[in-house]
Every structure is written in C-alpha cells, then in structure tokens.
Amino acid sequence: MGLACGRSICEYSLMLRSARVFLLCCLPVVGLAQQAATAPSAEVARLHEVFAHPPDDCKIMMRWWWFGPSATKPELKRELEQMKAAGIGGVEIATLYPLALDEPQSGFHNYAFASDEHIDNLRFAAEQARRLGMRVDITLGSGWPFGGRAIPVTQAAGKLRVERVNVAPGSASAPVPAMEAGEKLLAAFMVPGADRPLDYRQVHQLPMPVGPRVEIPGASDSERTVVFFVSSRTGMMVKRAAVGATGFVLDHYDSVAIRNHLENIGDRLLSAFGDHPPYAVFSDSLEDYGSDWTPALLQEFERRRGYDLTPMLPALVGDIGPETAAVRHDWGRTLTELADENYLEPIHVWAHKHSTLFRSQTYGFPPVTLSSNRFEDLPEGEGKATLRMWRAFSDTRWAASAGHLFGHPVISSETWTWLHSPAFRATPLDMKAEADLHFLQGINQLVGHGWPYSPPEAGEPGWRMYAAGALNAHNPWWMVMPDLAAYLQRASFALRQGKPANDIAIFLPEDDVWASFKARSQGRKSATGEFDETGSNITMDESMPEFLGDQVVEQVLDAGFNFDFIDAGTIDTLGIPYKVLILPDVHRIDPATYEKIVKFANAGVIVIATRRLPDTAPGYREATAITARVKQISTSLFGGQMAKAHFVEDEGSLGAMLASTLNPDFAAEPATPDIGFIHRHLEYGDLYFVANTSNQEREIHAKFRAARRFGEQWDPFTGKTEGLPDPKRIVLDLQPYESRLIYFSDVPLSPVERDFKVQSRIDISRDWRITIGNTTVRLESLGSWTDVERLRYFSGVVSYDKTISIDESALQPGRSVFLDFGDGTPVALPEPLLRFNMRAYLESPVREAARVYVNDHPAGYVWHPPFRLDIVKFLKPGANTIRILVGNTAINELAGADLPDYRLLYNRYGVEFVPQDMQNLKPLPSGILGTVSLIESRAER
C-alpha cells in the first residue's frame, strides 16, 4: 500500500495506526519495548521515502479552458499527454467564449455548449485522462456565475429596484413605475422634499396602488418624493459564456433556480462521465454582482427574523434613525442564510447523489460567510495577485481557515489568475513566487489558471484567455515545467502531513459587515458589454478588509505566529480550537456567541479585543435588552477579573502583547516581514515551510518553537533530506524567493551533510556556439539574442554548446563542480504594488529558463535562485561537452506580430472578452545574459 494525499492519506494514517495497535496487542510482552522504539523510526523513514516520490494526487492541476467549445479529440488527447509529461496531475474543464469563427473550408466549427458533440468530447477527454491516471473536475456551467439559456427571467438574479418620483406641490398621486417580466411592486413611501439625499427619518408608507398611480394622502404646498421598492432582477448575463450558454445569471437565493440549473445543465454534463463520475464538480467564485433580493425575501425575512421588513425597507437605502444598521444587519444575514440553504446546500447534496465531491470558491456575491464553507467537500481560495496578499485578509486564507476548521485535509486555490500580465509574460520563477504565497496561507493543492486549449490552426503561441496566465506547452520555457511541477508536488505533499499548528484565531466581525450593507442602483452594462461590478457592497469577503483594518494580520505574523480566521457560526458549532482569539474592533456580537467565548476563556483560551469592546446587539428585535447583555459580558470579560482577557486599544502594540503572552512559533534574527512560515504538527515530529517572499537574499538565525533533538532540511526540488548540526541554532541563507522545509523530531534523522568551500572559479563565458533551427553561430561573449536584429522578435528555444576540459583532481571524492550563471538582478517594486499583476521582482541571468546537458546526460534545470547546478557526477577527466537549452517567453513573438482585433468575432458573438495588457508589447531580453562559471568546491566538516 502506498501513501497518498488528500482523503486517502487520512484513511491510510488511520489504517496504519490501527495496524500498529493490532500488532502491539499481538506481540509477546518481551518485544513491546523494541517495537515501540522502532515504530517511530520506521514511520519517519517511510515519510522520507514518500517525500522523495510523492503520490500523483499531490500534483498541481490546471483549469483547462475549452474555447467555443470547439475542441477535437486529437487535440484533447495531445494536450492531456503534454500535461502528463510535464507533471500536471489533473484538469478542471471550463468552457468559455469562442475565439474563432466557423470556417466550412477547413471544417473548424464551434458547437453548442452541452450539445451531443460537446458531451461526446467530454466523454473522450475523461476517458483519456483516466487512461493517463489524471484527475478530472468539471465546472457546472459555462463561464460564470451559473445560469444560461435554461434560466427564465423569473429565476434570474434578484435585485431590489428603488425608483424615486418627485411629486409637485398640490399633487395627490404619482405614477407607478412600469413593471417588466419578473418584477413586482413591494411598497411605496412618501418622503418630504426632493433634494438628495432624502431624509428618510420622516418617511411614511403609502397604501398599495390599485391602478397605474399611487395616491398620496394629504395636500401639501411643498415638494415631496415617492420612493417605490420593486422586487426586480439585476439583468446580469453569464460572463464569458460559450456558444449556446448565454442567458441570465440564476438567482442564488432561489432553490428552484439552482434545481433547474442542475437538472438541465449539471445532469447533462455528468452524463458524459458514465460510471466514472468526475472527482469533483466546481463552483467558481460567486460573482452575482448587485444581487440583493429574491421574490420570497419578505416572507423568509419575517419567518427568520420575526418581524415584517416591508415598513422598514427605506432603511436599506437611507438613514431611518438608530435602527437603520440593525435592520440592514437582519437583511444581510437573511441573504446569507438563503444563499447557504438554496444554493450551496442543494449543490452539495446533488454532488454526493452523483458520487462526486463539491469543490467551491465560497466567497463573493451573494454574501456567504466563512461558515458557509460547511456546504462543500473541497474549499478553494483564489490569489488576489499581489506580493503581499499573504499579509492581509485574503480569500485564500479564508478558504484555508475553513478547511482547517471543518476538517478538510486538502485545500486548494485558484493560482496564477493574474500572474505577470499579459498572457505568456509569466515565467517559472513568477509561478513559484506566487505558489509559495499560497502555501504560506495554508493551501496544499494548486489549481493553475490556466491552460488554454489551442488547436494547431491557431498557430504560435496559440489561443489564450483574456486575463493573464497562459500556462501551456506553447511557452518556450516549458521544458523546465517538470522541475517546477515536482517542486510544487512535494511542497503540497509536505503541507498535507499531520495537522495545522496555527496558534491564533482572528474573529471575522460578520455582524458588523451585515450592518453596513446598503441597496444600490441598478447594475448596467458598460460600452464593452461588461456588467457594472461597482456600487454594491453586498459581499462579506470584499467588505472585510475595511473592518479588520491594516494592522491585525501583520502584527500577528510579525510577532512569530500563524493564524486562521474564525466566525460566530464556527464558534457556535465547533468551539475555539486555538490558543488565542482576537476580536478586532468588534462592535456587534450575538450574546450567545459571546458567552461561548467567555466559556473558552475560562478554559484557558486567551481573548484579546482591539480598538473597542463589543457593545451592541446585532439585529433589530429586542435590541435594547441584547445590547445591555453584550455590554455586561464585555465588562465581565475585560474588567480585570479574567487573567487571560486583554484589551489592546492601539493595534500597533498587539504583536508585542502576543509575544509576551505566548512563546512565538517562529522567530528570525534579524527580523524581517519578508520571511513567512507555516507549521504542521505530525505524529512523530513538526514540519515547517519557510519562504523568502522578497527579491533580496536574506540570511537569518531562525528559532523554531517546535525544535527537538534532531532536525533536518527537506529539499522539495530533489526529495533529499539533510540533517542539521544543531536544531536549536539554525542559520538559513535564503536566496530571493527561496523556500525551505525544516523537520524536527526526537527520532534520529538524516546524517548531517558537509559544507562545500569554494576552491576555484573559472569563467567560461566566451566562445559559445548557439544554434537556432538549422543555423549555428559562434558568440565571443554572452548577451541577449534580441540584440541581433533578425532575432529581435524570436520566441523559442536556443541551444548553447561548449567543450570544456576538466582536470582529474576536480573529480576526486568529496569534490563538487558547479555550473554557475551568476545572481539575478532585483527589480524595484512599484508603490503601490500593482493589484492585478503578481510577479517575481527579479530578472534571471538566464532569460527565462534552461535545461543543461553534460556529455549528453540531463544535468538539471536553471530557472530559480541560486542559478547553479552541481554537475560533477556527469563530468569526466579531459574534454566534456556542455549543452544548454534556453527558452524565453512568447512575448517577443507577440510583440512582432499584428494582434487580432476580433471585430468579426465580436459582431457574431458579442463582446465576451477584451484582451488584457496586450497593447504596446516590446521584446524582452532573452538567452544567457550573465557570466557563466565553473566553481570547484571541496567538502569540509
């Protein structure tokens, strides 16, 4: 039986523990001590073995974009085989807009989404993936959010439409706004005056009209305004939809709508898989922008909150007095509950009924909460594509927290969404730099965004999605992808071992966020056809940074701790499985939740409130009595009687308090905010992932709280383990964007390796032969091939060849010979950092990646610091040939070509996309740019 990741590794661990218990019970008493001593060593040895050869289900996946759809079986087979060869373990099939028009002469055509031809190609792709041992997930729709042709307007995304009609002095009635299909008048209110903003504190509800006009009782010689509230629809259409998949986004608060979608689209897509269902079905980030209503909301609101919202509707758009925030809170909470029960839960149940798992990005619009993640099997986050995303609130940390709280051992993230825009600009080092940020937040399964399906007739570099990453074999640097994929696979495996060891929970003030919600104006389409995503704050995660503030997360990390988010729902059901709970500027809180917090504080959990103490009831009903109870609990908890409850008014001192209260888990000297860590607690040890997130080399003295008798470093590139001379005194010399795995145990570990001291350095930068296609030229010195005019726009692979002579003395035991390309060049970081353009701010001396052969033997890859390889085992005395294959990016070719304008495609299918950042492209430096040296080293103790 082999170790596996995910659910299977948990099952394996349980079986292994059970087997050990069984064996111990059956062994003679005389053998018990020996068995107890050898079992941990065998377990650690097994861990080493599997780390060196991790299971396939720890490999990265790719979101596989089928454009059109227009996929054909030969190309599907070819691309799956390319992925398999590169170390990619699976795909998520996502179907998007067409990228080319039908052409009868060539036979190219786009077929309809969910048509027989589409289903047949899905079936073929699933069969081929199964043959290759690859995982297949599928998105339950086309584009996003869910919806399409099967959704009538009566099931379309809901919106509270608010119309204001000025009433002239002396008028006794006002016209009722015209109603379209799917709309219904809810109520009308009269407000004195006509100026904006209206004074809703003097609002009066009017009788419902019986005709086309509403009567206004009482004459007035002043202007007045009638405000109409209409149950309406956002009008949002599915974004990036395939042919035949256009239509309204469905109402995420209406169980009838999602049931309709699952029956018409979900069942149809799963029919392609027959008796082998996909590993998981997928729901992308909820981007139902502006949806804040559903026809059944008034009835559901009264059933859940205990009062009629109708007379309070003005509170959703204006200030009606002290109760405004409480009413908005109750409205927001109702929306969340409806999304949970009528969207997430039905999909979860449906997935299990079809013998598959539900993978979900549970954040966005509608306002789902952290607790909403209980309705999924595989939580997923998403990078916001900034270098500092791991040091702030993020959807990635949100998903990881949910996975930790709800016991999901595998937590994925949509990775490289906006990586180094435009398409084909990203490098392998960019990919590693962002992946490490996801690992630092608790992610252990990467889903790359993404792999564009591209038929041969599309040419080079082929099709690409409108936004950023195009991470397929059309990249000239693709030859190093197996090395990058192996690193990501081993890191993912390591970060699935044991359990998360985060000390701190940061409470999400969801009640305060609900109270901030406000109904906005009707969403509209822009000139490019995009739905207007602005003007709505009906979202929990996108509102949260404003409420958490800028300091809490950074203070926790800089004090040497790691954390998860937690919310009231998880505390109510799961408790507080952490040493510290932080309440950041919490205003409103349910006293039932607050009393549970007190209970855990009495049991030893340290509770810290910052900026303020909770002092207000969340909702409208019984607000006075509940507010008094909340204040009473705050006084009792933080009034000095509770030794483990603290109030920190200035969050700048939070980190110092944490460090004085609890032993830091990780400390670096000198301290630097660029070094991050994540800690996993295993049965026989503790494992840390440490990453340098900066473009500068950092040498630190690292102190780990879980350091034990023995320590070792795990190399995620090679799978080798190396003992540390002193686990209590560890010096880490971290190259830019370098990461390490450090393992501690009381079980004896790998032997300590010797250090290598440089003996000599020989410059071999001159007289290389380069070959491009059938042309070979000799270079006197190295430099960018774009300096040669005819190669200025060349994207591809160039071969560098040279013969060197090696003295036999350099090959003696205990010697190493490194092929060294020099250091990378740091690039100044823009301030502020670009929000949607994550990258590694380091230019490699090899642009952008290389594979090295010594005497025709593959010797390794060069694409990340340190830019060197130990090639001693491939060398021989005398003459040796070195061949270096260097690949750049596809940007040079794109810069030299006329980009498509898609005019006819837009005319045929509408403007479903606009390419991002493709204007003003320029060729990038390419090839070996630095000094290449041979470094002879000798091992010393």
Side-chain angles (χ1 to χ4, degrees), residues 5-26:
C5 291
R7 293 175 298 154
S8 52
I9 195 168
C10 295
E11 295 163 358
Y12 173 83
S13 299
L14 289 171
M15 289 187 288
L16 189 62
R17 285 196 290 270
S18 299
R20 283 202 297 270
V21 171
F22 176 78
L23 288 172
L24 285 171
C25 292
C26 296

Side-chain angles (χ1 to χ4, degrees), residues 386-387 389-390 415-416 419 427-440 484 487-488 691-694 736-738 838-841 863-864:
T386 170
L387 191 59
M389 63 179 171
W390 68 284
T415 318
W416 311 310
L419 185 66
T427 70
L429 182 58
D430 293 330
M431 294 175 69
K432 180 189 186 297
E434 181 177 335
D436 286 349
L437 302 185
H438 291 252
F439 291 147
L440 287 175
L484 171 60
Y487 164 79
L488 299 173
N692 178 8
T693 67
S694 79
Y737 304 111
E738 186 179 6
M838 166 67 197
R839 60 163 295 189
Y841 289 91
W863 56 269
H864 63 88

